[in-house]
Amino acid sequence: MKAAERSLLESPVLAPAPTPFSDTEIARVRSEFPILKERPHGKPLVFLDSAASSQKPIQVIDAMDDYYRRYHANIHRGVYHISELASEAYEEARAKIGRFIGARDAHECIFVRNATEGLNLVAYSWGRHHIQRGDVIVLTEMEHHSNLVPWQILAQEREAELRFVPVTPDGLLDLGGLDDILDSAKLFAFTAVSNTLGTVNPVKHLSARAHAAGAIAVVDGCQAVPRMPVDVADWNCDFMAFSAHKMLGPTGVGMLWGRKELLDAMPPFLSGGGMIKVVNLTSSTYASVPARFEAGTPAIAEAVGFSAAVDYLAALGMERIHQSESRLATIALRRLAEQSNITVYGPPMEQRTGVISLTVGDIHAHDLASILDSEGVCVRAGHHCNQPLMEKLGVPATARASFYVYNTVEEIEVFIAALDKAKRIFKIA
Amino acid sequence: MKAAERSLLESPVLAPAPTPFSDTEIARVRSEFPILKERPHGKPLVFLDSAASSQKPIQVIDAMDDYYRRYHANIHRGVYHISELASEAYEEARAKIGRFIGARDAHECIFVRNATEGLNLVAYSWGRHHIQRGDVIVLTEMEHHSNLVPWQILAQEREAELRFVPVTPDGLLDLGGLDDILDSAKLFAFTAVSNTLGTVNPVKHLSARAHAAGAIAVVDGCQAVPRMPVDVADWNCDFMAFSAHKMLGPTGVGMLWGRKELLDAMPPFLSGGGMIKVVNLTSSTYASVPARFEAGTPAIAEAVGFSAAVDYLAALGMERIHQSESRLATIALRRLAEQSNITVYGPPMEQRTGVISLTVGDIHAHDLASILDSEGVCVRAGHHCNQPLMEKLGVPATARASFYVYNTVEEIEVFIAALDKAKRIFKIA
Amino acid sequence: MKDIAGMDELYRDFILDHYRNPRNAGTLEHPDASFEDVNPLCGDKIRMDVSVRDGAVADVRFRGRGCAISQASASLLTEDIKGKSLAEVERLNADDVVANLGINISPARLKCALLGLKVLKHALALEYQPTEEEKAYPDGQPS
Amino acid sequence: MKDIAGMDELYRDFILDHYRNPRNAGTLEHPDASFEDVNPLCGDKIRMDVSVRDGAVADVRFRGRGCAISQASASLLTEDIKGKSLAEVERLNADDVVANLGINISPARLKCALLGLKVLKHALALEYQPTEEEKAYPDGQPS
Ligand SMILES: Cc1ncc(COP(=O)(O)O)c(C=O)c1O
Ligand SMILES: Cc1ncc(COP(=O)(O)O)c(C=O)c1O
């Protein structure tokens, strides 16, 4: 594979305890991300918004380029050579991405557009099938809108009850009353990592508690899969959704993993070409999973790019990625604590990952982000699709910096200097 | 724009009556499709499967490459420079693709993964909202599974009635009893062009008849939009879905166009980030269209590629594309008629476009396609997601050749010679 | 791309002053017209209360939360319109808002700047003319 | 990629003969086991009727429609199994089918070739061992 050949980082990690990347390694990684050569407003690009969407290495861009140049064709329906190559690449991507998250069977892995679609698929197909009037659905107060609104709509439709695991002031799940909350619940949906606070939730524990209460466990893996080793078998959850674009992959593709027994028993969601077995004019039978849930021509090039992204991450090593991000976050939190007039939200370092939400004096997050942008620093500003959580934290908006494989300690200093500029402009000491 | 600069075909078409492309023009077009240099099994690639998915010009590949290399970021939520560039490109794509199909308002244009998702969106959001027990949904016997199964499922759920406009033995819609069939119908969904027979349906007329009966008109534009001028305002239909990958664009993106008044009144379908206005823990309000129907991070790079594809097609001129394809189809039909033991399905040339289904003696379509493949000729074999139509035609499967902007008269001869080889191998005179 | 202002230029003293000390802040007890809206992009919120006498704006108050651009623009707008006829208010558009700020801003921030004007026009049931940007880029993904 | 056969080699006389004159064509009146399935990829269809005596295949008939590869493979298979014990039938796998055809085929066509064996095993409720390809590439998009 061209993508694999290009990776300069393929040597196996032999160190017993994973170490953060060395400066040389990060420099190498950076050289593989073309966008990092951009200079917005004449400044070097300091990209601290990977939690919204990560940048892409050349290996991923090339894999898709190569696909379109050499073997694009609709899949599974053509017997000719390039169609076979495309089908093979698509199914290999499925199997590889599945292995990456610990799926035991490629049939459990459904390609979707993004995590949002994956969660909706569960809400429509599993949800409409199982949730009846009066049933209980449990969420947490820190869910992204994509793991909240689909359940609201389901609950409204079915007159089901929504319950929420509260969030403590420092941004942790308050698990004190969990068993009461889970009592007689049918489904517990929660994020593995908060996209606003960086909180790392105890997924294995939460899944076990869900099961003990007779509920299935639906995990929003959007922020976890890109930044730490994930093993759905070990977590013992029932569904997990995640997006390629947050983990070095392309836009337009994501995956829903689900337990085979559950998927097998679920009715179709989107229907049409590709998900049927026998079609008559007024009724049809459906293909087995995963095809049953992939109606229409899929995102083939995107699956190929997704696969290359997983190759890239696996070559770096997820444990090391996690270590490196933690190191950057630790340094950033320390440096931020040294500054005046800065409020950082979320839990202490041991319970979080490299996503940092903050406010500076009375500067609104939007103004802050604009000023940071003028220094080439990209951070997100707003509610981060977490309106209820912001309400709870009592802030209308925060600025959020997030780190990923290509970020450096030097960039933290540029970030801090840009925060100083904002304070200067807003005349804050 | 880089893509536009590269196009060698930008000079305006001044000829009063559109003419097919000259050999020089086709040669130029071919030079812009990298895949045409491939040699499967050592033979030149003769790609006759564009009705399943077209190939991509370098302009489209480059536009996406450029996006990932220079300005990828999540859209609409970032105030920093590259996020603004990405948002702008995404919304410009929407507006441009909308104009390409005659949409009067970019708000009417919803990005979806593919036409299949677009049709499901209508079936779920408009359908679940309007179709009640006993209501009538009208389809035709030539619908692709993607414009059939979603309505079957809706009809089953709502105990609605499905009715079908029959297909004549030569593959035309039998419009004799149309008004009876449409009587008291709420929705009439039909394809503009048959993907198996190439039949071109009278969309404007069908929409008018639907409206006269009080039904909305849902058009499957998958095969029409790539190959002829389409104007939804002139057609006066209510919804139209189509896929980028069949019209030189990338996989993973398509569009649903809908009449503003209808869209405005429709409830959300997929929900989550990006489609909300105000989110509380147990209920939410939703954004206006089109955002209301685009939950989660969209296929941004794909929208950029889709836009470049539309630039490419517009520069060639849809009328000329149509003429060129008709010319190839006319020649192919004539040459096929000269051969022995070949059955061609579908209407006469005046009522069809460049999609030709055929069988050869007792050779099964799969075997035929395998043998053609050995000569580098790519055709589709099977039921083409048209099982009920195949049943009606009385064939288990056909081989289908389809032409597009890069095909030549010489390729028709390679195709004919490959059919001869198949007959030789199967010992058919 | 329009020229995007330097940050010092954008956040000049008078803007910060309008942000921190908004003019006409608060509500009216018996407004003739009132409306509140949010910019879902960022959660910026503005409410406008207007009293109308003889076809002109007699008084106006606003309350909001959000970025300096949205709050200062709203504050400047309230100063601008007092005593103006509804016909004059109807004619106000994006250019006037930008003129008040005295500087060109990027499309994303323009949305912030225009929130006050939108809310005002909606309150008075006047027609709001979308900018070219807004026409080209519909609401998009607000969160 | 495995080596893909030349077409003349793939469609040798005996394959075409089995396609056009399938052995053991038809149905059994009182089969001990019977099953029908389709390959949704192409609509290929095969039904197998088996009669079993003393733990061995006493008789078998098949009926189907589809490509030369699927029909010839099924025909060859019926010849192969007559008199074989169920344990022996259980052990049959993709390699045996390919051996019958006498040639390597591409993954897409392998699905055609294996339909008969799948249906047979299903009829006899024997375990079907998916090939490496089938494991790596699940059903996928059948239409
Ligand atoms: C007429 C028609 N409708 C619908 C579709 C489905 O398109 P997609 O698979 O891109 O959703 C196709 C193509 O497969 C088609 O030809
Ligand atoms: C925790 C979390 N869940 C869900 C999502 C939604 O992901 P997507 O927009 O790719 O569907 C995101 C990212 O926006 C996220 O961070």
Side-chain angles (χ1 to χ4, degrees):
Chain A
M1 282 276 85
K2 203 171 160 199
E5 278 162 27
R6 296 195 60 130
S7 174
L8 301 164
L9 294 153
E10 285 238 292
S11 55
V13 182
L14 297 169
T19 50
F21 302 126
S22 68
D23 289 352
T24 329
E25 283 173 308
I26 297 175
R28 224 185 243 168
V29 167
R30 290 179 65 83
S31 74
E32 295 177 333
F33 286 76
I35 204 168
L36 297 180
K37 292 174 193 81
E38 288 298 303
R39 296 180 61 87
H41 314 300
K43 308 280 165 62
L45 181 73
V46 176
F47 191 75
L48 302 182
D49 194 23
S50 297
S53 194
S54 80
Q55 297 303 338
K56 322 301 171 199
I58 190 72
Q59 287 85 338
V60 168
I61 301 171
D62 280 357
M64 293 188 284
D65 204 281
D66 188 49
Y67 168 76
Y68 283 127
R69 285 169 182 267
R70 291 204 305 108
Y71 61 101
H72 167 69
N74 216 328
I75 58 170
H76 295 305
R77 307 179 205 177
V79 297
Y80 53 85
H81 185 59
I82 57 174
S83 172
E84 287 200 351
L85 290 181
S87 303
E88 228 171 290
Y90 183 73
E91 295 302 340
E92 256 165 21
R94 185 198 306 282
K96 181 187 295 170
I97 301 160
R99 281 193 300 271
F100 183 72
I101 55 153
R104 299 226 190 86
D105 183 347
H107 291 79
E108 297 183 319
C109 301
I110 299 161
F111 279 118
V112 288
R113 174 177 39 244
N114 48 30
T116 301
E117 191 196 3
L119 294 163
N120 276 273
L121 198 166
V122 180
Y124 272 97
S125 178
W126 191 93
R128 264 58 168 183
H129 205 58
H130 288 91
I131 299 294
Q132 311 294 339
R133 193 167 163 181
D135 279 348
V136 174
I137 295 170
V138 178
L139 310 171
T140 86
E141 287 181 350
M142 64 164 74
E143 295 315 309
H144 187 281
H145 295 163
S146 293
N147 199 26
L148 171 57
V149 186
W151 308 115
Q152 288 180 351
I153 294 180
L154 172 63
Q156 281 155 17
E157 230 181 273
R158 289 297 157 94
E159 302 183 49
E161 183 189 344
L162 287 182
R163 289 188 201 147
F164 293 88
V165 179
V167 171
T168 65
D170 52 349
L172 292 167
L173 289 182
D174 178 352
L175 300 180
L178 184 61
D179 287 335
D180 281 347
I181 295 172
L182 281 174
D183 183 45
S184 77
K186 284 236 170 129
L187 180 147
F188 181 21
F190 54 91
T191 191
V193 169
S194 159
N195 62 301
T196 295
L197 303 175
T199 315
V200 179
N201 290 325
V203 178
K204 191 172 176 169
H205 176 70
L206 296 175
S207 298
R209 299 279 284 272
H211 290 159
I216 64 163
V218 178
V219 178
D220 177 348
C222 266
Q223 295 295 340
V225 177
R227 37 181 55 80
M228 54 190 63
V230 162
D231 183 339
V232 289
D234 178 54
W235 276 355
N236 198 25
C237 52
D238 298 291
F239 291 100
M240 182 180 75
F242 56 108
S243 289
H245 70 91
K246 290 183 200 282
M247 48 190 286
L248 309 185
T251 56
V253 71
M255 187 171 273
L256 173 71
W257 168 85
R259 207 183 271 287
K260 187 81 170 15
E261 312 85 79
L262 296 178
L263 291 174
D264 279 342
M266 279 157 57
F269 171 40
L270 300 177
S271 62
M275 52 69 75
I276 55 87
K277 189 157 188 165
V278 178
V279 176
N280 298 304
L281 275 181
T282 54
S283 70
S284 302
T285 56
Y286 308 113
S288 47
V289 294
R292 189 190 310 153
F293 294 107
E294 295 183 2
T297 303
I300 312 169
E302 291 73 12
V304 168
F306 197 175
S307 177
V310 158
D311 278 336
Y312 194 94
L313 291 172
L316 285 177
M318 291 312 294
E319 196 51 72
R320 296 193 72 205
I321 290 173
H322 185 49
Q323 291 300 326
S324 298
E325 219 181 279
S326 297
R327 171 169 168 262
L328 289 175
T330 306
I331 296 171
L333 287 174
R334 175 160 28 86
R335 291 287 289 129
L336 287 166
E338 292 164 12
Q339 315 298 310
S340 62
N341 285 304
I342 289 181
T343 312
V344 172
Y345 301 87
M349 192 53 222
E350 307 73 55
Q351 283 145 303
R352 71 146 81 207
T353 178
V355 177
I356 299 176
S357 266
L358 53 84
T359 52
V360 180
D362 71 345
I363 312 178
H364 188 278
H366 257 204
D367 298 311
L368 186 61
S370 278
I371 296 172
L372 296 190
D373 174 47
S374 72
E375 294 298 306
V377 178
C378 309
V379 299
R380 193 108 308 213
H383 53 62
H384 317 297
C385 296
N386 259 150
Q387 286 184 10
L389 180 62
M390 305 305 281
E391 210 69 55
K392 181 98 179 199
L393 297 174
V395 279
T398 68
R400 182 188 69 185
S402 50
F403 304 107
Y404 208 29
V405 293
Y406 30 68
N407 291 121
T408 66
V409 176
E410 292 71 38
E411 289 179 318
I412 294 174
E413 292 309 315
V414 179
F415 172 50
I416 299 280
L419 292 175
D420 274 343
K421 175 178 175 183
K423 288 196 270 181
R424 218 163 44 239
I425 288 176
F426 269 74
K427 305 193 170 42
I428 294 172
Chain B
M1 281 279 84
K2 203 171 160 199
E5 278 163 28
R6 296 196 61 130
S7 176
L8 301 164
L9 294 153
E10 286 237 294
S11 53
V13 181
L14 297 169
T19 50
F21 302 125
S22 68
D23 288 353
T24 329
E25 283 174 309
I26 296 176
R28 226 183 241 170
V29 166
R30 291 180 63 83
S31 74
E32 295 178 334
F33 286 77
I35 205 169
L36 297 180
K37 292 176 194 83
E38 288 299 302
R39 297 181 60 88
H41 314 299
K43 308 279 165 63
L45 181 73
V46 176
F47 190 75
L48 302 182
D49 194 24
S50 297
S53 194
S54 80
Q55 296 304 337
K56 322 300 171 200
I58 189 72
Q59 287 86 337
V60 168
I61 301 171
D62 279 358
M64 292 189 284
D65 205 280
D66 188 48
Y67 168 76
Y68 283 126
R69 285 169 182 267
R70 292 204 306 108
Y71 62 101
H72 166 69
N74 216 327
I75 58 169
H76 294 305
R77 308 178 203 176
V79 297
Y80 52 85
H81 184 58
I82 56 174
S83 172
E84 288 199 351
L85 291 180
S87 303
E88 230 171 289
Y90 183 73
E91 295 302 340
E92 259 165 20
R94 185 199 305 284
K96 181 187 295 171
I97 301 161
R99 282 193 301 273
F100 183 72
I101 55 154
R104 297 226 192 89
D105 184 346
H107 292 79
E108 297 182 318
C109 301
I110 299 160
F111 280 118
V112 288
R113 176 179 35 243
N114 49 30
T116 301
E117 191 196 1
L119 294 163
N120 275 273
L121 198 166
V122 180
Y124 272 98
S125 178
W126 191 94
R128 263 58 169 183
H129 205 57
H130 289 90
I131 298 293
Q132 311 294 338
R133 192 166 165 186
D135 279 348
V136 174
I137 296 170
V138 178
L139 309 171
T140 86
E141 287 181 349
M142 63 165 73
E143 295 314 309
H144 187 280
H145 295 163
S146 293
N147 199 25
L148 171 58
V149 185
W151 308 115
Q152 289 180 350
I153 293 180
L154 171 62
Q156 280 155 15
E157 230 181 273
R158 289 298 156 95
E159 302 183 50
E161 183 190 343
L162 287 182
R163 290 189 200 145
F164 293 88
V165 179
V167 171
T168 65
D170 52 350
L172 293 167
L173 289 182
D174 178 352
L175 300 179
L178 184 61
D179 288 335
D180 280 346
I181 295 172
L182 281 173
D183 183 46
S184 78
K186 283 237 171 129
L187 181 147
F188 181 20
F190 54 90
T191 191
V193 170
S194 159
N195 62 301
T196 295
L197 302 175
T199 316
V200 179
N201 290 325
V203 178
K204 191 173 177 169
H205 176 73
L206 296 175
S207 297
R209 299 279 285 271
H211 290 159
I216 64 163
V218 178
V219 178
D220 177 350
C222 265
Q223 296 295 341
V225 177
R227 37 181 56 79
M228 53 189 65
V230 163
D231 183 341
V232 289
D234 179 54
W235 276 355
N236 198 24
C237 51
D238 299 290
F239 291 99
M240 181 179 75
F242 57 109
S243 289
H245 70 91
K246 291 185 200 280
M247 47 190 287
L248 309 185
T251 55
V253 71
M255 188 171 272
L256 174 71
W257 168 85
R259 208 182 270 286
K260 187 79 172 10
E261 313 85 79
L262 296 177
L263 291 174
D264 279 342
M266 279 157 57
F269 170 41
L270 300 177
S271 62
M275 52 70 74
I276 55 85
K277 189 159 189 165
V278 178
V279 177
N280 297 303
L281 275 181
T282 54
S283 70
S284 302
T285 56
Y286 307 113
S288 47
V289 294
R292 189 189 310 152
F293 295 108
E294 295 184 2
T297 303
I300 313 169
E302 291 73 13
V304 168
F306 196 175
S307 177
V310 157
D311 278 337
Y312 194 94
L313 291 172
L316 284 178
M318 291 312 295
E319 196 50 73
R320 297 193 70 206
I321 289 174
H322 185 48
Q323 291 300 327
S324 298
E325 219 180 280
S326 296
R327 172 170 167 261
L328 288 175
T330 306
I331 296 171
L333 287 174
R334 176 163 24 87
R335 292 288 288 128
L336 287 167
E338 292 164 12
Q339 315 300 309
S340 61
N341 285 305
I342 289 182
T343 311
V344 172
Y345 301 86
M349 193 53 223
E350 307 74 55
Q351 283 145 303
R352 71 145 83 206
T353 178
V355 177
I356 299 175
S357 266
L358 54 82
T359 52
V360 180
D362 72 344
I363 312 179
H364 188 276
H366 256 204
D367 298 310
L368 186 61
S370 276
I371 296 171
L372 296 189
D373 174 49
S374 72
E375 294 298 307
V377 178
C378 308
V379 299
R380 194 110 306 216
H383 53 61
H384 317 296
C385 297
N386 260 149
Q387 285 183 12
L389 180 62
M390 306 306 282
E391 211 68 53
K392 181 99 179 197
L393 296 174
V395 278
T398 69
R400 180 189 71 186
S402 51
F403 303 108
Y404 208 29
V405 292
Y406 30 68
N407 290 122
T408 66
V409 175
E410 292 70 42
E411 289 180 320
I412 294 174
E413 292 310 315
V414 179
F415 173 49
I416 298 279
L419 291 175
D420 275 342
K421 175 178 173 180
K423 288 197 270 182
R424 217 162 46 239
I425 288 176
F426 270 74
K427 307 195 166 43
I428 293 172
Chain C
M1 290 278 306
K2 293 209 194 100
D3 206 48
I4 306 290
M7 289 297 123
D8 305 283
E9 237 185 303
L10 178 56
Y11 295 104
R12 272 165 304 169
D13 285 348
F14 86 97
I15 298 279
L16 293 182
D17 184 41
H18 274 270
Y19 173 51
R20 289 187 170 133
N21 310 298
R23 317 306 194 261
N24 303 306
T27 53
L28 292 177
E29 254 184 49
H30 301 290
D32 297 303
S34 180
F35 190 66
E36 178 177 295
D37 204 7
V38 297
N39 176 349
L41 186 73
C42 50
D44 282 7
K45 196 190 278 188
I46 285 179
R47 172 192 162 129
M48 288 260 177
D49 287 357
V50 194
S51 69
V52 179
R53 208 169 309 141
D54 301 331
V57 174
D59 203 359
V60 57
R61 292 284 186 286
F62 90 100
R63 201 153 64 175
R65 72 168 194 211
C67 65
I69 304 299
S70 72
Q71 303 305 304
S73 299
S75 172
L76 286 158
L77 183 67
T78 58
E79 287 198 315
D80 215 28
I81 60 169
K82 267 201 207 161
K84 279 220 166 92
S85 73
L86 295 194
E88 284 173 300
V89 173
E90 172 126 49
R91 279 195 297 276
L92 291 177
N93 62 24
D95 291 343
D96 301 298
V97 172
V98 171
N100 279 343
L101 292 172
I103 194 165
N104 265 334
I105 52 180
S106 72
R109 302 313 305 278
L110 188 61
K111 283 195 185 159
C112 306
L114 293 177
L115 183 59
L117 180 62
K118 274 191 185 177
V119 169
L120 174 72
K121 292 211 173 183
H122 205 289
L124 294 169
L126 299 173
E127 204 187 333
Y128 175 78
Q129 284 289 350
T131 63
E132 281 311 307
E133 262 94 6
E134 285 174 293
K135 269 187 266 174
Y137 320 131
D139 282 22
Q141 304 283 335
S143 86
Chain D
M1 293 276 306
K2 294 209 194 102
D3 207 48
I4 306 289
M7 289 298 123
D8 304 282
E9 238 184 302
L10 178 56
Y11 295 104
R12 272 164 304 170
D13 284 350
F14 86 96
I15 299 280
L16 294 183
D17 184 41
H18 274 272
Y19 173 50
R20 290 186 170 133
N21 310 299
R23 317 305 193 260
N24 303 305
T27 52
L28 291 177
E29 255 183 50
H30 301 291
D32 296 303
S34 181
F35 190 66
E36 177 176 295
D37 204 7
V38 298
N39 176 349
L41 186 74
C42 50
D44 282 6
K45 196 191 277 189
I46 284 177
R47 173 192 163 128
M48 288 261 175
D49 288 355
V50 193
S51 69
V52 180
R53 208 168 309 140
D54 302 330
V57 174
D59 204 359
V60 57
R61 292 283 185 287
F62 89 102
R63 197 152 67 174
R65 72 168 194 212
C67 65
I69 305 299
S70 73
Q71 302 305 305
S73 299
S75 172
L76 286 157
L77 182 68
T78 59
E79 287 198 314
D80 214 28
I81 59 169
K82 267 203 207 159
K84 280 220 166 92
S85 74
L86 294 194
E88 283 172 303
V89 173
E90 174 126 47
R91 279 195 298 275
L92 290 177
N93 62 25
D95 292 342
D96 301 299
V97 172
V98 171
N100 278 345
L101 292 173
I103 194 165
N104 265 333
I105 53 180
S106 73
R109 303 312 305 277
L110 188 61
K111 283 195 187 160
C112 307
L114 293 177
L115 183 59
L117 181 62
K118 274 191 185 178
V119 169
L120 174 71
K121 290 210 174 184
H122 206 291
L124 294 169
L126 299 174
E127 205 188 334
Y128 175 77
Q129 285 289 349
T131 63
E132 279 312 305
E133 262 94 6
E134 285 174 293
K135 268 187 266 174
Y137 320 131
D139 282 19
Q141 305 283 334
S143 87

